[in-house]
Amino acid sequence: MANAVEVQCPRSINDEDRARAQMYQLLGALLGEPPSRELLAGLALLKGDDTPLGAASKNLAALAERTNPHDAEREFNNLFVGVGRGELLPYASYYLTGFLNEKPLADLRSDLMVRGIKSRDDVKEPEDHISTLCEIMAGIITGEFPCDSGLSSQKAFFDAHLAKWAALFFTDLEEAQSAVFFAPVGSLGRAFMTVEADAFAIQ
């Protein structure tokens, strides 16, 4: 799922936006496929503080340090793949309507078309997968797509495709029966979605 959309036109951004884009990229990578040994090693170096985001980062670092790629892959499959389906279905359509491939996906595809964002041909997952949505947000922030990358454009995409369900998904991930390594991923995502929603609310 990583790199699910074509990227173009990177722009110069400030440190705050770079950090936001990196967080979206990290969430996209973690939710798109099982983490590699290299990613786990990088996550083990994460630092944190006493904020919800910082606490989640510290917990994720601690889990990453003692998680091997095989166990992470098994957990990923139990959560998101399973036999027939995993414990969670990380799609906007499912969270918003109870069914896959519904109106939220159609609305997203229309929005992507208007923005000039094209899905890669080799990606089979519907575009409303949480991983892809996080990657698209990162790309909008960094100016990798031909569309407007300003705050109003970011807010419009976030409000339309993430605000109504992403925090709930991350809460479900945090509390999922199969989640050990991925529990702090849920905490990190939930805390970050709250920060983003609060920041966009004052725009």
Side-chain angles (χ1 to χ4, degrees):
M1 179 65 68
N3 301 315
V5 292
E6 297 173 358
V7 296
Q8 311 171 33
C9 311
R11 67 184 177 100
S12 177
I13 58 174
N14 62 35
D15 289 343
E16 180 182 348
D17 282 347
R18 183 173 294 106
R20 292 174 56 229
Q22 288 171 343
M23 182 61 73
Y24 276 115
Q25 288 168 339
L26 175 59
L27 291 170
L30 286 168
L31 297 167
E33 59 188 10
S36 64
R37 187 176 302 278
E38 292 74 21
L39 180 53
L40 289 169
L43 291 171
L45 302 175
L46 283 175
K47 305 298 181 188
D49 53 32
D50 293 332
T51 65
L53 203 57
S57 296
K58 287 192 289 188
N59 289 340
L60 182 57
L63 264 295
E65 190 170 19
R66 59 178 187 261
T67 299
N68 65 60
H70 175 74
D71 289 342
E73 181 175 6
R74 182 173 58 193
E75 185 178 333
F76 180 93
N77 289 335
N78 287 338
L79 284 165
F80 306 121
V81 183
V83 179
R85 58 164 281 185
E87 186 175 344
L88 301 176
L89 289 171
Y91 302 93
S93 285
Y94 181 78
Y95 268 81
L96 295 173
T97 72
F99 299 94
L100 296 174
N101 302 318
E102 289 292 324
K103 190 174 185 296
L105 177 58
D107 291 344
L108 172 63
R109 286 174 172 167
S110 295
D111 193 2
L112 295 180
M113 186 177 299
V114 169
R115 291 170 178 268
I117 301 174
K118 299 177 181 177
S119 299
R120 277 181 29 189
D121 292 338
D122 60 336
V123 175
K124 304 306 180 189
E125 290 279 9
E127 296 90 331
D128 64 340
H129 192 288
I130 188 68
S131 171
T132 300
L133 292 173
C134 285
E135 290 169 7
I136 292 170
M137 272 298 296
I140 294 172
I141 293 168
T142 58
E144 292 175 349
F145 304 124
C147 62
D148 174 23
S149 57
L151 273 178
S152 60
S153 178
Q154 297 171 32
K155 175 177 167 36
F157 189 88
F158 181 87
D159 287 349
H161 308 297
L162 284 163
K164 297 172 187 173
W165 74 282
L168 176 57
F169 162 75
F170 282 117
T171 300
D172 287 347
L173 178 57
E174 207 176 4
E175 300 171 353
Q177 285 188 330
S178 304
V180 180
F181 167 77
F182 279 94
V185 176
S187 303
L188 188 70
R190 177 177 54 78
F192 182 58
M193 289 299 120
T194 299
V195 169
E196 286 284 274
D198 289 348
F200 284 134
I202 60 175
Q203 294 302 320

